[in-house]
C-alpha cells in the first residue's frame, strides 16, 4: 500500500560547475551588539558561516534549536543585517542593496521563506484565495486576472483542488492542507529559492513524506532551489542533495548528504547520526561511544572549539576554534581531527 | 491479592473511549504490561494513543469518557474509580511525562521546590530529607550541577532539562509504571537519545515498567521490548519488537515500516501511505484501514475483523492475514 512515486531524474543531480544561486560567505549575524573590544563573542547567532545553494538543488540544514539556522534564512531575505560577510543572490551582492532597492527585492518574492505552520500567524478570516494571492498583491506586477490565474495554478501545483479550497479559511483545513496552502502562497511569486523552516517537524512520518515529495516535485516543476531547515536528520533522508550541519552559530560540516551522514567527519555530525533512531538494525556508532567521558577535563563555553564541551575527542589543540577545511568528496568540516577521531573510538559499552 | 511478581502491572481490557458527542475514538483496546517490561504504543497522530493512556491515568479531558472496559493496576481495580483514588494512584504508583513538559511545571516555583514538595506530600519526607533526595534524583536523571538546578525556575532550563525534571518528579515516588506520551518528540535527536537511554536506565534501577507512546516507530524500535500498533482507535498488531519489525504481518504496520525506514541517505522516491485515516467516530463495518490498503477485498469490509492470535505472543487484525503470508510488503 505504499506507493513509490516516479522519480525519473534521480540521477541528474545538479552539476558542481553550475554557478550558485545563493552564495553566503563568512557570514556573521548578532542580535546583540558585540561588546567593545571583543569580537563577535557571546551574542553571535551566526559566525563566519559559508554556504552555497545551486539552482534546482535541495540543501538541508540541520542543527539544534538556536544554532543559527533560521537566522541564515532571515539574513538571506534581508530581515536581519549581518555584522560581517557577504550574501550574493543570483550574482547580486545583497549587502549593496539598501532602502528602496532592498524593499523592491523583497517585494519581488524571488526568495521566499516558509515557516512552520505559517498560517497560524496570519489573519484567520482571510480565505485561501486571499492568502495565496497576498504575495502577488505585494509584488504588484500582475493584473487582477493574472493573479487569480496564478493562485489557481499554485494550488494545483501543491496538489490541492482550487474549486474546493479557494473560499476556505485556515481553520477549515487539516494540518497537511495548511502546509500545502502555505507552500502555494510561497510559490505564487514563482521564487527561485525557497527556504522552508522546519516544514515537517509537526507532521507524522506519512505526512512528512508527502510534503517532502511535494517539495521535490516543486523543485523539478519550477526549477526551484530549496533549503530545508530541520532539527531532525531523518526529515532530510532521501530528499536532500547536500547537507550543512550547524552547531552553536557555526557550520561545522557540509557536503553531499550521503557522504556526510554515512561517514561523518565532524564529531557532532557523528553524534547526530548515532542518535537518530532507526527501525533497521544498521551497523553504526552508538551515542555513548561519542559522548565525552564524565571525568574528562571541562571546557569553557567560549573561546575554544564550539563543540569542545560536548566532544569526546577534545584535546589541547581545541583551545582554538578550527576553520572549515576541505576534505575528499567535496565536503568540509571544522575540526582539528576531522574524520580521524574514528580511530580513537573504543567499544566503551561492552568494556564497562 | 494476586502475586505481585507475576501479575501484570497494568491490564487494560475492552477499553472504549468516546469524545465529544459520543464519537468512539478508542475501540475495544486490550493490552497488558508486565513487571519491568517496556511496551511501545505506536500510531499516526489521531489514532487514539493519547486517549488510551489518559484513560489509564484517569486523566481524560472533560469531553472524553470511558464507555466500557476495565483498567487494573497491579491488582487494583481502577475501573470507575473515584477522583480521589485516581489522585492517590497517580504520583505514587503511576507516573507520567508528556510532550509539553513546560506546562506541567509551575513557572513561579523553583523546580527543586516542586520536586521536594512532591516528596514531602506523597512520601512523607521531612524538609531536609526531601531536599537531599531531590538533589539525588536530579543527579540521577542526568542533570549537571543538581544543587544549582534545584534553585532554578522552569524558564531557566532548556526543553531537555525540563523533561529531565519532569522525569525526576514522575519517578520520585517509585511508581510501578511510567507512561511517557511523546515525551521526546519535541527534543532534538541527541537529547532524545539521551532521554531514551535514561528511561532505560531508570527501568533497571527502579524496576519500572514503561509505556512509551509515540508516532515514531523508530523510537520504539530502539527502546521497547514489545510493540502495540494502533490505527484509527484500534490495536491492529502486537508482538515483540524484534518479531514485529522483522516480519510485520498487518498491512498497516508494513506501510509504517516503509515510510519510517531510512537505510540510506541517498536521494530516492519517498514512500507514502496514500489517503488519510478515517475521522473519529466514523462508522466502518469492517477493517478501518481498508480504504488505504492495497490488499483490501470484499471480505475486509463485510464485517468486523477480530484481532487474531498468531501465537508466540503475536496478534494482528487483518481478515486476509493467511492469504497475505509471504506476500511482498
Ligand atoms: N529576534 C531575535 N532576537 C534576539 N535573539 C535571537 C532572535 N532570533 C534568534 N535569536 C537568537 O539567535 C540564535 C540563533 O537563533 P536561530 O537562528 O533562530 O536558530 P535556529 O533557527 O537554528 O533554531 C539563538 O541564540 C537565538 O536565541
Ligand atoms: S576541534 Fe576538537 S573539540 Fe572541536 S570537534 Fe574537533 S576534536 Fe572536538
Ligand atoms: S483486513 Fe483487508 S483491508 Fe484490512 S488490513 Fe487486512 S487486507 Fe487490508
Ligand atoms: Mg529555527
Amino acid at each position: 500500500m505504499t506507493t513509490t512515486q516516479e522519480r525519473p531524474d534521480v540521477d541528474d543531480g545538479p552539476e558542481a560547475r553550475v554557478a550558485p544561486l545563493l552564495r553566503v560567505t563568512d557570514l556573521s549575524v548578532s542580535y546583540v551588539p558585540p561588546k567593545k573590544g571583543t569580537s563577535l563573542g557571546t551574542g553571535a547567532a551566526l559566525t563566519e558561516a559559508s554556504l552555497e545553494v545551486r539552482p534546482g538543488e535541495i540543501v538541508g540544514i540541520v542543527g539544534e534549536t538556536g544554532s543559527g539556522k533560521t537566522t541564515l534564512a532571515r539574513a538571506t531575505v534581508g530581515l536581519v543585517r549581518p555584522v560581517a560577510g557577504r550574501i550574493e543572490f543570483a550574482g547580486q551582492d545583497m549587502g549593496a542593496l539598501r532602502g528602496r532597492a532592498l524593499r523592491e527585492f523583497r517585494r519581488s518574492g524571488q526568495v521566499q521563506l516558509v515557516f512552520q505552520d505559517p498560517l497560524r500567524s496570519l489573519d484567520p478570516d482571510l480565505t485561501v484565495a486571499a492568502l495565496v494571492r497576498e504575495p502577488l498583491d505585494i509584488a504588484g506586477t500582475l493584473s487582477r486576472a493574472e493573479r487569480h490565474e496564478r493562485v489557481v495554478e499554485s494550488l494545483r501545483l501543491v496538489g490541492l483542488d482550487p474549486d474546493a479550497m479557494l473560499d476556505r479559511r485556515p481553520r477549515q483545513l487539516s494540518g497537511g492542507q495548511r502546509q500545502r496552502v502555505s507552500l502555494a502562497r510561497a510559490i505564487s511569486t514563482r521564487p527561485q529559492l525557497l527556504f522552508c523552516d522546519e516544514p515537517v517537524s509537526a507532521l507524522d512520518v506519512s505526512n512528512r513524506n508527502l510534503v517532502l515529495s511535494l517539495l521535490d516535485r516543486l523543485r523539478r516543476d519550477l526549477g526551484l532551489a530549496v533549503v530545508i531547515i530541520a532539527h531532525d536528520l531523518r526529515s532530510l533522508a532521501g530528499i536532500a542533495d547536500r547537507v550543512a550541519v550547524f552547531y552553536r552559530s557555526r557550520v561545522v560540516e557540509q557536503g553531499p548528504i550521503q557522504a556526510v551522514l554515512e561517514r561523518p567527519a565532524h564529531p557532532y555530525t557523528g553524534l547526530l547520526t548515532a542518535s537518530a533512531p532507526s527501525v533497521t538494525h544498521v551497523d553504526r556508532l552508538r551515542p555513548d561511544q561519542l559522548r565525552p567521558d564524565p571525568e574528562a577535563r571541562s571546557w569553557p563555553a567560549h573561546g575554544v572549539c564550539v563543540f569542545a564541551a560536548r566532544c569526546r575527542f577534545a584535546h589541547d589543540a581545541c583551545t582554538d576554534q578550527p576553520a572549515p577545511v576541505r576534505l575528499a568528496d567535496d565536503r568540509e568540516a571544522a575540526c582539528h581531527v576531522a574524520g580521524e577521531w574514528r580511530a580513537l573510538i573504543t567499544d566503551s559499552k561492552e568494556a564497562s | 491479592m494476586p502475586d505481585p511478581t507475576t501479575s501484570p502491572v497494568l491490564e487494560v481490557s475492552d477499553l472504549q473511549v468516546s469524545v465529544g458527542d459520543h464519537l468512539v475514538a478508542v475501540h475495544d483496546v486490550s493490552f497488558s504490561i508486565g513487571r519491568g517490561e517496556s511496551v511501545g504504543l505506536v500510531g499516526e497522530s489521531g489514532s487514539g494513543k493519547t486517549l488510551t493512556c489518559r484513560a489509564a491515568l484517569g486523566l481524560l479531558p472533560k469531553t472524553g469518557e470511558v464507555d466500557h472496559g476495565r483498567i487494573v493496576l497491579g491488582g487494583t481495580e481502577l475501573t470507575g474509580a473515584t477522583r480521589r483514588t485516581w489522585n492517590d494512584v497517580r504520583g505514587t504508583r503511576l507516573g507520567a511525562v508528556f510532550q509539553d513538559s513546560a506546562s506541567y511545571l509551575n513557572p513561579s516555583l523553583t523546580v527543586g521546590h516542586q520536586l521536594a514538595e512532591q516528596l514531602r506530600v506523597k512520601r512523607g519526607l521531612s524538609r531536609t530529607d526531601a531536599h537531599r533526595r531531590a538533589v539525588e534524583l536530579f543527579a540521577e536523571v542526568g542533570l549537571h550541577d543538581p544543587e544549582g538546578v534545584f534553585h532554578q525556575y522552569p524558564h531557566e532550563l532548556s526543553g531537555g532539562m525540563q523533561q529531565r525534571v519532569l522525569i525526576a518528579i514522575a519517578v520520585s515516588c517509585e511508581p510501578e509504571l511510567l507512561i511517557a506520551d511523546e515525551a521526546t518528540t519535541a527534543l532534538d535527536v541527541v537529547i532524545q537519545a539521551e532521554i531514551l537511554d535514561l528511561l532505560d536506565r531508570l527501568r533497571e534501577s527502579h524496576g519500572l515498567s514503561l509505556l512509551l507512546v509515540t508516532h515514531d516507530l523508530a523510537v520504539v524500535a530502539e527502546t521497547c521490548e514489545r510493540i502495540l500498533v494502533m490505527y484509527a482507535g484500534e490495536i491492529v498488531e502486537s508482538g515483540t519488537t524484534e518479531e514485529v519489525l522483522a516480519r510485520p504481518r498487518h498491512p498497516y504496520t508494513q506501510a509504517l515500516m516503509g515510510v519510517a525506514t531510512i537505510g540510506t541517505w541517498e536521494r530516492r522516491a519517498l514512500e507514502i501511505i496514500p489517503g488519510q485515516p478515517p475521522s473519529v467516530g466514523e462508522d466502518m463495518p469492517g477493517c478501518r484501514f481498508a480504504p488505504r490498503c492495497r490488499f483490501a477485498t470484499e471480505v475486509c469490509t463485510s464485517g468486523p475483523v477480530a484481532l487474531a492470535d498468531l501465537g508466540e505472543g503475536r496478534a494482528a487484525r487483518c481478515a486476509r492475514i493467511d492469504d497475505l503470508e509471504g506476500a511482498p510488503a
Side-chain angles (χ1 to χ4, degrees):
Chain A
M1 71 301 329
T2 46
T3 63
T4 298
Q5 296 179 336
E6 280 301 303
R7 181 85 180 246
D9 65 341
V10 153
D11 289 322
D12 70 7
E15 296 287 313
R17 273 159 267 125
V18 175
L21 178 63
L22 174 70
R23 176 184 276 148
V24 174
T25 319
D26 291 330
L27 191 74
S28 296
V29 174
S30 179
Y31 291 102
V32 229
K35 289 204 195 79
K36 268 225 167 72
T38 64
S39 60
L40 283 160
T42 51
L46 207 56
T47 311
E48 293 158 14
S50 298
L51 185 80
E52 287 181 358
V53 183
R54 299 170 198 132
E57 108 177 309
I58 299 187
V59 174
I61 297 184
V62 282
E64 23 175 60
T65 308
S67 57
K69 309 179 300 291
T70 303
T71 300
L72 181 84
R74 300 184 65 212
T76 305
V77 291
L79 285 172
V80 28
R81 209 162 247 297
V83 183
R86 202 178 151 86
I87 302 171
E88 288 163 80
F89 181 78
Q92 155 96 55
D93 177 6
M94 301 300 292
L97 290 182
R98 316 232 155 211
R100 198 185 145 134
L102 180 60
R103 278 197 301 279
E104 258 167 32
F105 173 78
R106 266 196 238 150
R107 277 216 317 254
S108 73
Q110 291 177 67
V111 182
Q112 290 284 11
L113 225 63
V114 189
F115 291 103
Q116 185 178 347
D117 203 359
L119 297 191
R120 199 156 45 181
S121 57
L122 294 171
D123 189 342
D125 289 330
L126 288 182
T127 60
V128 166
L131 285 167
V132 177
R133 201 184 53 235
E134 196 172 56
L136 295 170
D137 296 342
I138 294 170
T141 46
L142 299 180
S143 74
R144 210 187 156 77
E146 285 167 333
R147 271 177 280 168
H148 180 75
E149 202 174 304
R150 184 63 76 75
V151 168
V152 168
E153 192 183 276
S154 301
L155 286 170
R156 281 212 185 98
L157 275 166
V158 299
L160 291 174
D161 173 12
D163 295 331
M165 285 292 153
L166 283 169
D167 295 324
R168 289 212 205 168
R169 299 181 206 270
R171 66 174 172 280
Q172 297 165 305
L173 304 172
S174 71
Q177 288 172 335
R178 290 155 73 93
Q179 194 54 266
R180 280 163 190 256
V181 169
S182 50
L183 276 175
R185 178 178 153 96
I187 60 164
S188 68
T189 57
R190 296 294 177 268
Q192 292 176 264
L193 174 63
L194 196 62
F195 268 100
C196 299
D197 199 352
E198 305 276 359
V200 294
S201 309
L203 306 175
D204 50 34
V205 261
S206 167
N207 281 314
R208 177 180 84 190
N209 285 3
L210 267 173
V211 170
L212 292 175
S213 305
L214 174 61
L215 282 173
D216 192 44
R217 215 185 61 222
L218 293 175
R219 171 191 73 86
R220 231 179 323 143
D221 292 354
L222 302 174
L224 263 179
V226 183
V227 177
I228 300 178
I229 297 177
H231 71 275
D232 179 0
L233 273 184
R234 288 178 301 161
S235 36
L236 301 176
I239 183 92
D241 299 295
R242 286 190 306 122
V243 64
V245 181
F246 281 46
Y247 189 77
R248 302 243 166 109
S249 85
R250 288 182 180 267
V251 179
V252 294
E253 177 161 6
Q254 61 177 308
I257 189 161
Q258 209 176 349
V260 169
L261 299 181
E262 281 171 18
R263 273 162 289 118
H266 194 282
Y268 176 58
T269 317
L271 184 61
L272 272 182
T273 53
S275 300
S278 163
V279 285
T280 44
H281 211 74
V282 282
D283 183 27
R284 55 161 207 214
L285 296 171
R286 294 189 315 268
D288 64 275
Q289 295 173 298
L290 294 161
R291 290 180 196 137
D293 184 342
E295 309 296 307
R297 98 190 226 198
S298 70
W299 291 81
H302 301 285
V304 299
C305 168
V306 273
F307 193 55
R310 288 174 74 186
C311 184
R312 189 184 190 96
F313 312 104
H315 55 287
D316 290 344
C318 309
T319 47
D320 288 322
Q321 168 65 45
V325 286
R326 285 221 151 266
L327 304 167
D329 7 315
D330 190 25
R331 60 170 147 163
E332 41 179 83
C335 169
H336 293 302
V337 288
E340 295 161 21
W341 47 266
R342 269 170 186 273
L344 305 171
I345 287 179
T346 47
D347 210 351
S348 65
K349 206 174 200 169
E350 311 303 311
S352 66
Chain B
M1 275 293 281
D3 179 357
T5 53
T6 54
S7 72
V9 166
L10 180 71
E11 249 186 304
V12 171
S13 12
D14 293 323
L15 178 71
Q16 177 170 314
V17 180
S18 57
V19 288
D21 195 14
H22 296 284
L23 301 172
V24 178
V26 174
H27 300 258
D28 299 332
V29 161
S30 301
F31 63 93
S32 72
I33 301 176
R35 300 259 154 208
E37 196 185 21
S38 59
V39 175
L41 180 59
V42 218
E44 284 169 276
S45 47
S47 57
K49 307 181 298 292
T50 294
L51 281 173
T52 301
C53 64
R54 292 219 167 233
L57 282 163
L59 281 179
L60 280 179
K62 277 197 192 63
T63 52
E65 77 184 305
V66 172
D67 299 324
H68 60 75
R70 282 185 71 197
I71 298 162
V72 180
L73 178 73
T76 310
E77 178 75 57
L78 288 174
T79 317
T82 61
R83 180 190 291 247
R84 230 191 109 170
T85 310
W86 276 117
N87 282 342
D88 284 346
V89 162
R90 271 195 314 268
T92 54
R93 301 181 58 190
L94 267 177
V97 219
F98 302 98
Q99 177 170 357
D100 46 337
S101 49
S103 62
Y104 292 86
L105 290 167
N106 184 332
S108 56
L109 297 173
T110 65
V111 293
H113 181 100
Q114 297 181 52
L115 174 51
E117 192 59 24
Q118 169 96 354
L119 286 161
R120 269 160 30 84
V121 172
K122 300 260 179 181
R123 303 218 81 188
L125 298 191
S126 71
R127 199 171 285 275
T128 338
D129 285 347
H131 185 118
R132 190 184 39 75
R133 181 74 189 125
V135 173
E136 269 172 30
L137 279 163
F138 282 158
E140 201 183 336
V141 297
L143 288 162
H144 301 292
D145 183 20
E147 184 65 56
V149 168
F150 187 98
H151 298 287
Q152 287 187 303
Y153 290 91
H155 74 266
E156 295 174 296
L157 306 177
S158 67
M161 290 168 86
Q162 289 174 353
Q163 203 56 278
R164 286 177 206 269
V165 167
L166 259 291
I167 292 172
I169 292 177
V171 300
S172 66
C173 297
E174 305 292 335
E176 292 153 65
L177 174 67
L178 180 68
I179 298 183
D181 187 359
E182 302 282 7
T184 62
T185 303
L187 305 174
D188 104 79
V189 281
V190 173
I191 309 295
Q192 165 167 284
E194 287 178 18
I195 300 271
L196 294 174
D197 277 0
L198 169 67
L199 293 177
D200 212 42
R201 252 188 298 122
L202 290 171
R203 209 153 63 76
E204 213 141 276
S205 58
H206 291 247
L208 269 179
S209 306
L210 178 68
L211 177 61
L212 190 80
V213 181
T214 172
H215 68 277
D216 192 342
L217 198 58
V219 164
V220 169
E222 307 253 306
T223 322
C224 298
E225 295 157 342
R226 210 148 51 79
I227 288 189
L228 307 166
V229 182
M230 204 158 172
Y231 182 77
E234 291 178 332
I235 291 187
V236 295
E237 177 151 17
S238 64
T240 64
T241 307
E242 210 184 325
E243 273 288 314
V244 172
L245 296 187
R247 276 169 296 278
R249 296 290 303 276
H250 194 282
Y252 177 63
T253 317
Q254 292 168 0
L256 267 189
M257 290 284 292
V259 293
T261 305
I262 300 178
T264 165
W265 297 97
E266 203 177 10
R267 288 200 64 152
R268 62 177 178 274
L270 300 175
E271 301 216 352
I272 53 171
I273 307 176
Q276 295 293 325
S279 42
V280 172
E282 194 170 319
D283 201 17
M284 297 173 83
C287 170
R288 299 178 69 77
F289 187 57
R292 301 172 81 184
C293 181
R294 67 180 170 118
F295 303 112
T297 60
E298 251 165 57
V299 60
C300 309
T301 46
S302 56
V305 182
L307 186 65
D309 191 338
L310 305 176
E312 288 163 6
R314 293 197 65 174
R317 189 188 294 275
C318 171
R320 300 196 58 206
I321 192 98
D322 295 326
D323 313 350
L324 299 179
E325 175 96 71

